[in-house]
Amino acid sequence: MSSPRQFQSHLPTADGRFTLLTLGTARLAEADQATGAPGADRLPPGKGLALVVYLHCSPGRTATREHLTDRFWNDCSPEAARQTLRQTIYRIRAALGAEAITSDGESVTLNLDLTCDRDLFLAAIHGGRASEAVGLYGGQFFPAYAAPGAAGFEQWADLE
């Protein structure tokens, strides 16, 4: 049987600039426009990558700042959590571009053009394409993630 990386290196693309891998691994890579295969990682593992995954899976790719601080920094004071969220957003923008994440002060929105293995897997499942879904499944969703204060995210990822 092929390893999760072998499955995910052959993802069909939807012309996304980035490839978000969440099944059996956790990576955000620049998509190779010629082959669609993921290239170099654009974000290191950690809360920044987890935040991108969470926003990508959220309705409208949007969540309130309060909700995000509760999910990712519930071990901090509200002021410290907001500051850490601002720093995380800054690092994401530095790595992916200024418009990757936008905010109106209250809400945070992900604006990345990406292809995600989870989305392709769910589309195959809902479309009754079992063999395609099996080929896309690389393992557990966002595996082996743990970070201080992120119990809310960890619980969500386990349910996902």
PDB file of all heavy atoms in Angstrom, residues 25-65:
ATOM      1  N   THR A  25      -0.902  14.114   7.038  1.00  0.00           N
ATOM      2  CA  THR A  25       0.200  15.051   7.188  1.00  0.00           C
ATOM      3  C   THR A  25      -0.404  16.438   7.376  1.00  0.00           C
ATOM      4  O   THR A  25      -1.620  16.597   7.321  1.00  0.00           O
ATOM      5  CB  THR A  25       1.133  15.019   5.955  1.00  0.00           C
ATOM      6  OG1 THR A  25       2.302  15.798   6.224  1.00  0.00           O
ATOM      7  CG2 THR A  25       0.453  15.527   4.704  1.00  0.00           C
ATOM      8  N   ALA A  26       0.425  17.418   7.591  1.00  0.00           N
ATOM      9  CA  ALA A  26      -0.028  18.805   7.704  1.00  0.00           C
ATOM     10  C   ALA A  26       1.006  19.678   7.015  1.00  0.00           C
ATOM     11  O   ALA A  26       2.110  19.864   7.518  1.00  0.00           O
ATOM     12  CB  ALA A  26      -0.179  19.199   9.165  1.00  0.00           C
ATOM     13  N   ARG A  27       0.642  20.173   5.823  1.00  0.00           N
ATOM     14  CA  ARG A  27       1.571  20.993   5.032  1.00  0.00           C
ATOM     15  C   ARG A  27       0.793  22.016   4.221  1.00  0.00           C
ATOM     16  O   ARG A  27      -0.296  21.734   3.738  1.00  0.00           O
ATOM     17  CB  ARG A  27       2.329  20.139   4.013  1.00  0.00           C
ATOM     18  CG  ARG A  27       3.289  19.139   4.557  1.00  0.00           C
ATOM     19  CD  ARG A  27       4.007  18.401   3.428  1.00  0.00           C
ATOM     20  NE  ARG A  27       4.729  19.324   2.568  1.00  0.00           N
ATOM     21  CZ  ARG A  27       5.011  19.088   1.286  1.00  0.00           C
ATOM     22  NH1 ARG A  27       4.630  17.962   0.710  1.00  0.00           N
ATOM     23  NH2 ARG A  27       5.688  19.966   0.579  1.00  0.00           N
ATOM     24  N   LEU A  28       1.407  23.154   4.026  1.00  0.00           N
ATOM     25  CA  LEU A  28       0.925  24.134   3.059  1.00  0.00           C
ATOM     26  C   LEU A  28       2.106  24.407   2.151  1.00  0.00           C
ATOM     27  O   LEU A  28       3.133  24.936   2.585  1.00  0.00           O
ATOM     28  CB  LEU A  28       0.460  25.425   3.720  1.00  0.00           C
ATOM     29  CG  LEU A  28      -0.023  26.490   2.740  1.00  0.00           C
ATOM     30  CD1 LEU A  28      -1.306  26.037   2.047  1.00  0.00           C
ATOM     31  CD2 LEU A  28      -0.237  27.806   3.427  1.00  0.00           C
ATOM     32  N   ALA A  29       1.961  24.011   0.898  1.00  0.00           N
ATOM     33  CA  ALA A  29       3.070  24.115  -0.049  1.00  0.00           C
ATOM     34  C   ALA A  29       2.642  24.939  -1.254  1.00  0.00           C
ATOM     35  O   ALA A  29       1.459  25.003  -1.593  1.00  0.00           O
ATOM     36  CB  ALA A  29       3.497  22.721  -0.502  1.00  0.00           C
ATOM     37  N   GLU A  30       3.608  25.557  -1.881  1.00  0.00           N
ATOM     38  CA  GLU A  30       3.355  26.238  -3.156  1.00  0.00           C
ATOM     39  C   GLU A  30       3.118  25.141  -4.185  1.00  0.00           C
ATOM     40  O   GLU A  30       3.874  24.183  -4.268  1.00  0.00           O
ATOM     41  CB  GLU A  30       4.561  27.085  -3.551  1.00  0.00           C
ATOM     42  CG  GLU A  30       4.301  27.956  -4.749  1.00  0.00           C
ATOM     43  CD  GLU A  30       4.355  29.423  -4.402  1.00  0.00           C
ATOM     44  OE1 GLU A  30       5.058  29.796  -3.461  1.00  0.00           O
ATOM     45  OE2 GLU A  30       3.701  30.193  -5.098  1.00  0.00           O
ATOM     46  N   ALA A  31       2.044  25.250  -4.935  1.00  0.00           N
ATOM     47  CA  ALA A  31       1.736  24.236  -5.942  1.00  0.00           C
ATOM     48  C   ALA A  31       2.625  24.431  -7.162  1.00  0.00           C
ATOM     49  O   ALA A  31       2.833  25.558  -7.616  1.00  0.00           O
ATOM     50  CB  ALA A  31       0.268  24.324  -6.351  1.00  0.00           C
ATOM     51  N   ASP A  32       3.160  23.340  -7.673  1.00  0.00           N
ATOM     52  CA  ASP A  32       3.907  23.373  -8.923  1.00  0.00           C
ATOM     53  C   ASP A  32       2.878  23.530 -10.034  1.00  0.00           C
ATOM     54  O   ASP A  32       2.060  22.646 -10.261  1.00  0.00           O
ATOM     55  CB  ASP A  32       4.688  22.065  -9.088  1.00  0.00           C
ATOM     56  CG  ASP A  32       5.495  22.015 -10.361  1.00  0.00           C
ATOM     57  OD1 ASP A  32       4.987  22.465 -11.420  1.00  0.00           O
ATOM     58  OD2 ASP A  32       6.623  21.504 -10.318  1.00  0.00           O
ATOM     59  N   GLN A  33       2.886  24.654 -10.713  1.00  0.00           N
ATOM     60  CA  GLN A  33       1.860  24.941 -11.707  1.00  0.00           C
ATOM     61  C   GLN A  33       1.915  23.996 -12.903  1.00  0.00           C
ATOM     62  O   GLN A  33       0.916  23.790 -13.576  1.00  0.00           O
ATOM     63  CB  GLN A  33       1.954  26.400 -12.167  1.00  0.00           C
ATOM     64  CG  GLN A  33       1.635  27.383 -11.053  1.00  0.00           C
ATOM     65  CD  GLN A  33       0.269  27.175 -10.437  1.00  0.00           C
ATOM     66  OE1 GLN A  33      -0.747  27.143 -11.121  1.00  0.00           O
ATOM     67  NE2 GLN A  33       0.228  27.000  -9.120  1.00  0.00           N
ATOM     68  N   ALA A  34       3.040  23.377 -13.165  1.00  0.00           N
ATOM     69  CA  ALA A  34       3.152  22.447 -14.288  1.00  0.00           C
ATOM     70  C   ALA A  34       2.562  21.083 -13.946  1.00  0.00           C
ATOM     71  O   ALA A  34       1.845  20.499 -14.749  1.00  0.00           O
ATOM     72  CB  ALA A  34       4.617  22.293 -14.698  1.00  0.00           C
ATOM     73  N   THR A  35       2.842  20.593 -12.730  1.00  0.00           N
ATOM     74  CA  THR A  35       2.416  19.242 -12.377  1.00  0.00           C
ATOM     75  C   THR A  35       1.291  19.203 -11.366  1.00  0.00           C
ATOM     76  O   THR A  35       0.610  18.189 -11.226  1.00  0.00           O
ATOM     77  CB  THR A  35       3.594  18.447 -11.771  1.00  0.00           C
ATOM     78  OG1 THR A  35       3.956  19.055 -10.526  1.00  0.00           O
ATOM     79  CG2 THR A  35       4.776  18.406 -12.716  1.00  0.00           C
ATOM     80  N   GLY A  36       1.087  20.286 -10.621  1.00  0.00           N
ATOM     81  CA  GLY A  36       0.097  20.306  -9.565  1.00  0.00           C
ATOM     82  C   GLY A  36       0.592  19.688  -8.274  1.00  0.00           C
ATOM     83  O   GLY A  36      -0.088  19.733  -7.267  1.00  0.00           O
ATOM     84  N   ALA A  37       1.781  19.111  -8.291  1.00  0.00           N
ATOM     85  CA  ALA A  37       2.333  18.499  -7.083  1.00  0.00           C
ATOM     86  C   ALA A  37       2.762  19.582  -6.106  1.00  0.00           C
ATOM     87  O   ALA A  37       3.169  20.666  -6.510  1.00  0.00           O
ATOM     88  CB  ALA A  37       3.525  17.624  -7.441  1.00  0.00           C
ATOM     89  N   PRO A  38       2.677  19.287  -4.804  1.00  0.00           N
ATOM     90  CA  PRO A  38       3.139  20.268  -3.828  1.00  0.00           C
ATOM     91  C   PRO A  38       4.646  20.462  -3.916  1.00  0.00           C
ATOM     92  O   PRO A  38       5.386  19.508  -4.109  1.00  0.00           O
ATOM     93  CB  PRO A  38       2.754  19.660  -2.479  1.00  0.00           C
ATOM     94  CG  PRO A  38       2.140  18.349  -2.742  1.00  0.00           C
ATOM     95  CD  PRO A  38       2.115  18.103  -4.204  1.00  0.00           C
ATOM     96  N   GLY A  39       5.067  21.711  -3.791  1.00  0.00           N
ATOM     97  CA  GLY A  39       6.487  22.024  -3.795  1.00  0.00           C
ATOM     98  C   GLY A  39       6.978  22.266  -2.379  1.00  0.00           C
ATOM     99  O   GLY A  39       6.601  21.558  -1.451  1.00  0.00           O
ATOM    100  N   ALA A  40       7.755  23.305  -2.193  1.00  0.00           N
ATOM    101  CA  ALA A  40       8.337  23.626  -0.891  1.00  0.00           C
ATOM    102  C   ALA A  40       7.268  24.105   0.082  1.00  0.00           C
ATOM    103  O   ALA A  40       6.322  24.795  -0.296  1.00  0.00           O
ATOM    104  CB  ALA A  40       9.403  24.700  -1.056  1.00  0.00           C
ATOM    105  N   ASP A  41       7.430  23.730   1.351  1.00  0.00           N
ATOM    106  CA  ASP A  41       6.512  24.191   2.388  1.00  0.00           C
ATOM    107  C   ASP A  41       6.598  25.702   2.523  1.00  0.00           C
ATOM    108  O   ASP A  41       7.680  26.276   2.481  1.00  0.00           O
ATOM    109  CB  ASP A  41       6.848  23.539   3.728  1.00  0.00           C
ATOM    110  CG  ASP A  41       6.460  22.075   3.782  1.00  0.00           C
ATOM    111  OD1 ASP A  41       5.874  21.573   2.804  1.00  0.00           O
ATOM    112  OD2 ASP A  41       6.742  21.433   4.803  1.00  0.00           O
ATOM    113  N   ARG A  42       5.447  26.338   2.702  1.00  0.00           N
ATOM    114  CA  ARG A  42       5.401  27.787   2.852  1.00  0.00           C
ATOM    115  C   ARG A  42       5.196  28.225   4.293  1.00  0.00           C
ATOM    116  O   ARG A  42       5.472  29.364   4.635  1.00  0.00           O
ATOM    117  CB  ARG A  42       4.295  28.365   1.977  1.00  0.00           C
ATOM    118  CG  ARG A  42       4.564  28.224   0.498  1.00  0.00           C
ATOM    119  CD  ARG A  42       5.848  28.954   0.085  1.00  0.00           C
ATOM    120  NE  ARG A  42       5.818  30.366   0.395  1.00  0.00           N
ATOM    121  CZ  ARG A  42       5.473  31.320  -0.425  1.00  0.00           C
ATOM    122  NH1 ARG A  42       5.143  31.025  -1.671  1.00  0.00           N
ATOM    123  NH2 ARG A  42       5.461  32.571  -0.047  1.00  0.00           N
ATOM    124  N   LEU A  43       4.673  27.347   5.135  1.00  0.00           N
ATOM    125  CA  LEU A  43       4.503  27.636   6.555  1.00  0.00           C
ATOM    126  C   LEU A  43       5.069  26.472   7.361  1.00  0.00           C
ATOM    127  O   LEU A  43       4.809  25.320   7.013  1.00  0.00           O
ATOM    128  CB  LEU A  43       3.017  27.781   6.919  1.00  0.00           C
ATOM    129  CG  LEU A  43       2.312  29.074   6.597  1.00  0.00           C
ATOM    130  CD1 LEU A  43       0.835  28.978   6.974  1.00  0.00           C
ATOM    131  CD2 LEU A  43       2.938  30.249   7.315  1.00  0.00           C
ATOM    132  N   PRO A  44       5.779  26.757   8.432  1.00  0.00           N
ATOM    133  CA  PRO A  44       6.252  25.655   9.277  1.00  0.00           C
ATOM    134  C   PRO A  44       5.082  25.084  10.077  1.00  0.00           C
ATOM    135  O   PRO A  44       4.048  25.738  10.242  1.00  0.00           O
ATOM    136  CB  PRO A  44       7.265  26.343  10.203  1.00  0.00           C
ATOM    137  CG  PRO A  44       6.810  27.757  10.274  1.00  0.00           C
ATOM    138  CD  PRO A  44       6.212  28.065   8.921  1.00  0.00           C
ATOM    139  N   PRO A  45       5.234  23.870  10.587  1.00  0.00           N
ATOM    140  CA  PRO A  45       4.188  23.323  11.454  1.00  0.00           C
ATOM    141  C   PRO A  45       4.006  24.233  12.665  1.00  0.00           C
ATOM    142  O   PRO A  45       4.964  24.835  13.142  1.00  0.00           O
ATOM    143  CB  PRO A  45       4.746  21.969  11.882  1.00  0.00           C
ATOM    144  CG  PRO A  45       5.802  21.644  10.884  1.00  0.00           C
ATOM    145  CD  PRO A  45       6.338  22.952  10.393  1.00  0.00           C
ATOM    146  N   GLY A  46       2.801  24.360  13.147  1.00  0.00           N
ATOM    147  CA  GLY A  46       2.533  25.192  14.315  1.00  0.00           C
ATOM    148  C   GLY A  46       1.184  25.864  14.203  1.00  0.00           C
ATOM    149  O   GLY A  46       0.351  25.521  13.360  1.00  0.00           O
ATOM    150  N   LYS A  47       0.981  26.848  15.057  1.00  0.00           N
ATOM    151  CA  LYS A  47      -0.330  27.505  15.120  1.00  0.00           C
ATOM    152  C   LYS A  47      -0.662  28.281  13.855  1.00  0.00           C
ATOM    153  O   LYS A  47      -1.828  28.404  13.503  1.00  0.00           O
ATOM    154  CB  LYS A  47      -0.425  28.398  16.348  1.00  0.00           C
ATOM    155  CG  LYS A  47      -0.598  27.583  17.619  1.00  0.00           C
ATOM    156  CD  LYS A  47      -0.921  28.447  18.807  1.00  0.00           C
ATOM    157  CE  LYS A  47      -1.060  27.581  20.044  1.00  0.00           C
ATOM    158  NZ  LYS A  47      -1.346  28.373  21.237  1.00  0.00           N
ATOM    159  N   GLY A  48       0.326  28.814  13.154  1.00  0.00           N
ATOM    160  CA  GLY A  48       0.040  29.510  11.901  1.00  0.00           C
ATOM    161  C   GLY A  48      -0.590  28.583  10.880  1.00  0.00           C
ATOM    162  O   GLY A  48      -1.604  28.904  10.267  1.00  0.00           O
ATOM    163  N   LEU A  49       0.002  27.416  10.698  1.00  0.00           N
ATOM    164  CA  LEU A  49      -0.551  26.424   9.777  1.00  0.00           C
ATOM    165  C   LEU A  49      -1.907  25.941  10.270  1.00  0.00           C
ATOM    166  O   LEU A  49      -2.858  25.818   9.487  1.00  0.00           O
ATOM    167  CB  LEU A  49       0.416  25.251   9.615  1.00  0.00           C
ATOM    168  CG  LEU A  49      -0.039  24.113   8.703  1.00  0.00           C
ATOM    169  CD1 LEU A  49      -0.329  24.618   7.285  1.00  0.00           C
ATOM    170  CD2 LEU A  49       1.008  23.015   8.683  1.00  0.00           C
ATOM    171  N   ALA A  50      -2.029  25.701  11.571  1.00  0.00           N
ATOM    172  CA  ALA A  50      -3.311  25.272  12.133  1.00  0.00           C
ATOM    173  C   ALA A  50      -4.385  26.336  11.911  1.00  0.00           C
ATOM    174  O   ALA A  50      -5.536  26.014  11.578  1.00  0.00           O
ATOM    175  CB  ALA A  50      -3.158  24.966  13.620  1.00  0.00           C
ATOM    176  N   LEU A  51      -4.026  27.599  12.041  1.00  0.00           N
ATOM    177  CA  LEU A  51      -4.979  28.690  11.812  1.00  0.00           C
ATOM    178  C   LEU A  51      -5.439  28.715  10.361  1.00  0.00           C
ATOM    179  O   LEU A  51      -6.633  28.880  10.074  1.00  0.00           O
ATOM    180  CB  LEU A  51      -4.355  30.031  12.209  1.00  0.00           C
ATOM    181  CG  LEU A  51      -5.236  31.268  12.040  1.00  0.00           C
ATOM    182  CD1 LEU A  51      -6.464  31.182  12.927  1.00  0.00           C
ATOM    183  CD2 LEU A  51      -4.429  32.517  12.368  1.00  0.00           C
ATOM    184  N   VAL A  52      -4.529  28.522   9.422  1.00  0.00           N
ATOM    185  CA  VAL A  52      -4.898  28.472   7.996  1.00  0.00           C
ATOM    186  C   VAL A  52      -5.855  27.314   7.746  1.00  0.00           C
ATOM    187  O   VAL A  52      -6.873  27.474   7.066  1.00  0.00           O
ATOM    188  CB  VAL A  52      -3.643  28.372   7.100  1.00  0.00           C
ATOM    189  CG1 VAL A  52      -4.015  28.015   5.668  1.00  0.00           C
ATOM    190  CG2 VAL A  52      -2.862  29.682   7.138  1.00  0.00           C
ATOM    191  N   VAL A  53      -5.561  26.150   8.297  1.00  0.00           N
ATOM    192  CA  VAL A  53      -6.433  24.983   8.117  1.00  0.00           C
ATOM    193  C   VAL A  53      -7.812  25.268   8.703  1.00  0.00           C
ATOM    194  O   VAL A  53      -8.838  25.007   8.066  1.00  0.00           O
ATOM    195  CB  VAL A  53      -5.815  23.722   8.765  1.00  0.00           C
ATOM    196  CG1 VAL A  53      -6.818  22.578   8.832  1.00  0.00           C
ATOM    197  CG2 VAL A  53      -4.572  23.296   7.993  1.00  0.00           C
ATOM    198  N   TYR A  54      -7.853  25.814   9.905  1.00  0.00           N
ATOM    199  CA  TYR A  54      -9.132  26.087  10.556  1.00  0.00           C
ATOM    200  C   TYR A  54      -9.963  27.086   9.748  1.00  0.00           C
ATOM    201  O   TYR A  54     -11.155  26.861   9.508  1.00  0.00           O
ATOM    202  CB  TYR A  54      -8.910  26.600  11.982  1.00  0.00           C
ATOM    203  CG  TYR A  54     -10.193  26.725  12.736  1.00  0.00           C
ATOM    204  CD1 TYR A  54     -10.817  25.590  13.241  1.00  0.00           C
ATOM    205  CD2 TYR A  54     -10.799  27.949  12.929  1.00  0.00           C
ATOM    206  CE1 TYR A  54     -12.021  25.686  13.920  1.00  0.00           C
ATOM    207  CE2 TYR A  54     -11.994  28.058  13.612  1.00  0.00           C
ATOM    208  CZ  TYR A  54     -12.605  26.922  14.104  1.00  0.00           C
ATOM    209  OH  TYR A  54     -13.804  27.028  14.765  1.00  0.00           O
ATOM    210  N   LEU A  55      -9.342  28.163   9.314  1.00  0.00           N
ATOM    211  CA  LEU A  55     -10.082  29.156   8.518  1.00  0.00           C
ATOM    212  C   LEU A  55     -10.538  28.558   7.184  1.00  0.00           C
ATOM    213  O   LEU A  55     -11.649  28.829   6.731  1.00  0.00           O
ATOM    214  CB  LEU A  55      -9.233  30.402   8.279  1.00  0.00           C
ATOM    215  CG  LEU A  55      -9.045  31.306   9.496  1.00  0.00           C
ATOM    216  CD1 LEU A  55      -8.012  32.384   9.205  1.00  0.00           C
ATOM    217  CD2 LEU A  55     -10.373  31.914   9.935  1.00  0.00           C
ATOM    218  N   HIS A  56      -9.692  27.749   6.561  1.00  0.00           N
ATOM    219  CA  HIS A  56     -10.075  27.126   5.292  1.00  0.00           C
ATOM    220  C   HIS A  56     -11.333  26.272   5.458  1.00  0.00           C
ATOM    221  O   HIS A  56     -12.189  26.258   4.576  1.00  0.00           O
ATOM    222  CB  HIS A  56      -8.940  26.278   4.725  1.00  0.00           C
ATOM    223  CG  HIS A  56      -9.348  25.546   3.485  1.00  0.00           C
ATOM    224  ND1 HIS A  56      -9.483  26.189   2.265  1.00  0.00           N
ATOM    225  CD2 HIS A  56      -9.705  24.257   3.279  1.00  0.00           C
ATOM    226  CE1 HIS A  56      -9.895  25.313   1.375  1.00  0.00           C
ATOM    227  NE2 HIS A  56     -10.031  24.137   1.955  1.00  0.00           N
ATOM    228  N   CYS A  57     -11.456  25.599   6.573  1.00  0.00           N
ATOM    229  CA  CYS A  57     -12.588  24.700   6.811  1.00  0.00           C
ATOM    230  C   CYS A  57     -13.804  25.417   7.394  1.00  0.00           C
ATOM    231  O   CYS A  57     -14.881  24.818   7.494  1.00  0.00           O
ATOM    232  CB  CYS A  57     -12.167  23.569   7.740  1.00  0.00           C
ATOM    233  SG  CYS A  57     -10.900  22.480   7.049  1.00  0.00           S
ATOM    234  N   SER A  58     -13.659  26.672   7.777  1.00  0.00           N
ATOM    235  CA  SER A  58     -14.754  27.432   8.372  1.00  0.00           C
ATOM    236  C   SER A  58     -15.701  27.960   7.298  1.00  0.00           C
ATOM    237  O   SER A  58     -15.263  28.267   6.186  1.00  0.00           O
ATOM    238  CB  SER A  58     -14.200  28.626   9.167  1.00  0.00           C
ATOM    239  OG  SER A  58     -13.427  28.189  10.244  1.00  0.00           O
ATOM    240  N   PRO A  59     -16.982  28.088   7.635  1.00  0.00           N
ATOM    241  CA  PRO A  59     -17.933  28.668   6.670  1.00  0.00           C
ATOM    242  C   PRO A  59     -17.473  30.059   6.232  1.00  0.00           C
ATOM    243  O   PRO A  59     -17.127  30.891   7.067  1.00  0.00           O
ATOM    244  CB  PRO A  59     -19.240  28.745   7.463  1.00  0.00           C
ATOM    245  CG  PRO A  59     -19.090  27.729   8.551  1.00  0.00           C
ATOM    246  CD  PRO A  59     -17.621  27.706   8.883  1.00  0.00           C
ATOM    247  N   GLY A  60     -17.413  30.271   4.930  1.00  0.00           N
ATOM    248  CA  GLY A  60     -16.966  31.552   4.395  1.00  0.00           C
ATOM    249  C   GLY A  60     -15.494  31.819   4.629  1.00  0.00           C
ATOM    250  O   GLY A  60     -15.038  32.939   4.413  1.00  0.00           O
ATOM    251  N   ARG A  61     -14.769  30.794   5.103  1.00  0.00           N
ATOM    252  CA  ARG A  61     -13.347  30.927   5.447  1.00  0.00           C
ATOM    253  C   ARG A  61     -13.107  32.073   6.419  1.00  0.00           C
ATOM    254  O   ARG A  61     -12.074  32.739   6.386  1.00  0.00           O
ATOM    255  CB  ARG A  61     -12.495  31.110   4.199  1.00  0.00           C
ATOM    256  CG  ARG A  61     -12.463  29.898   3.309  1.00  0.00           C
ATOM    257  CD  ARG A  61     -11.484  30.110   2.204  1.00  0.00           C
ATOM    258  NE  ARG A  61     -11.345  28.913   1.396  1.00  0.00           N
ATOM    259  CZ  ARG A  61     -10.468  28.798   0.424  1.00  0.00           C
ATOM    260  NH1 ARG A  61      -9.662  29.798   0.136  1.00  0.00           N
ATOM    261  NH2 ARG A  61     -10.387  27.693  -0.272  1.00  0.00           N
ATOM    262  N   THR A  62     -14.081  32.308   7.307  1.00  0.00           N
ATOM    263  CA  THR A  62     -14.050  33.441   8.225  1.00  0.00           C
ATOM    264  C   THR A  62     -14.375  32.982   9.643  1.00  0.00           C
ATOM    265  O   THR A  62     -15.183  32.085   9.836  1.00  0.00           O
ATOM    266  CB  THR A  62     -15.082  34.503   7.784  1.00  0.00           C
ATOM    267  OG1 THR A  62     -14.724  34.961   6.483  1.00  0.00           O
ATOM    268  CG2 THR A  62     -15.134  35.679   8.720  1.00  0.00           C
ATOM    269  N   ALA A  63     -13.741  33.613  10.614  1.00  0.00           N
ATOM    270  CA  ALA A  63     -14.057  33.409  12.024  1.00  0.00           C
ATOM    271  C   ALA A  63     -13.780  34.711  12.763  1.00  0.00           C
ATOM    272  O   ALA A  63     -12.956  35.516  12.323  1.00  0.00           O
ATOM    273  CB  ALA A  63     -13.230  32.275  12.614  1.00  0.00           C
ATOM    274  N   THR A  64     -14.463  34.901  13.873  1.00  0.00           N
ATOM    275  CA  THR A  64     -14.208  36.106  14.653  1.00  0.00           C
ATOM    276  C   THR A  64     -12.889  35.965  15.403  1.00  0.00           C
ATOM    277  O   THR A  64     -12.438  34.858  15.696  1.00  0.00           O
ATOM    278  CB  THR A  64     -15.333  36.374  15.677  1.00  0.00           C
ATOM    279  OG1 THR A  64     -15.340  35.330  16.653  1.00  0.00           O
ATOM    280  CG2 THR A  64     -16.688  36.495  14.991  1.00  0.00           C
ATOM    281  N   ARG A  65     -12.297  37.095  15.711  1.00  0.00           N
ATOM    282  CA  ARG A  65     -11.053  37.094  16.480  1.00  0.00           C
ATOM    283  C   ARG A  65     -11.275  36.432  17.843  1.00  0.00           C
ATOM    284  O   ARG A  65     -10.433  35.670  18.309  1.00  0.00           O
ATOM    285  CB  ARG A  65     -10.535  38.522  16.664  1.00  0.00           C
ATOM    286  CG  ARG A  65      -9.917  39.091  15.418  1.00  0.00           C
ATOM    287  CD  ARG A  65      -9.439  40.528  15.661  1.00  0.00           C
ATOM    288  NE  ARG A  65      -8.779  41.018  14.485  1.00  0.00           N
ATOM    289  CZ  ARG A  65      -7.482  40.873  14.227  1.00  0.00           C
ATOM    290  NH1 ARG A  65      -6.707  40.254  15.075  1.00  0.00           N
ATOM    291  NH2 ARG A  65      -6.963  41.351  13.120  1.00  0.00           N
TER     292      ARG A  65
END
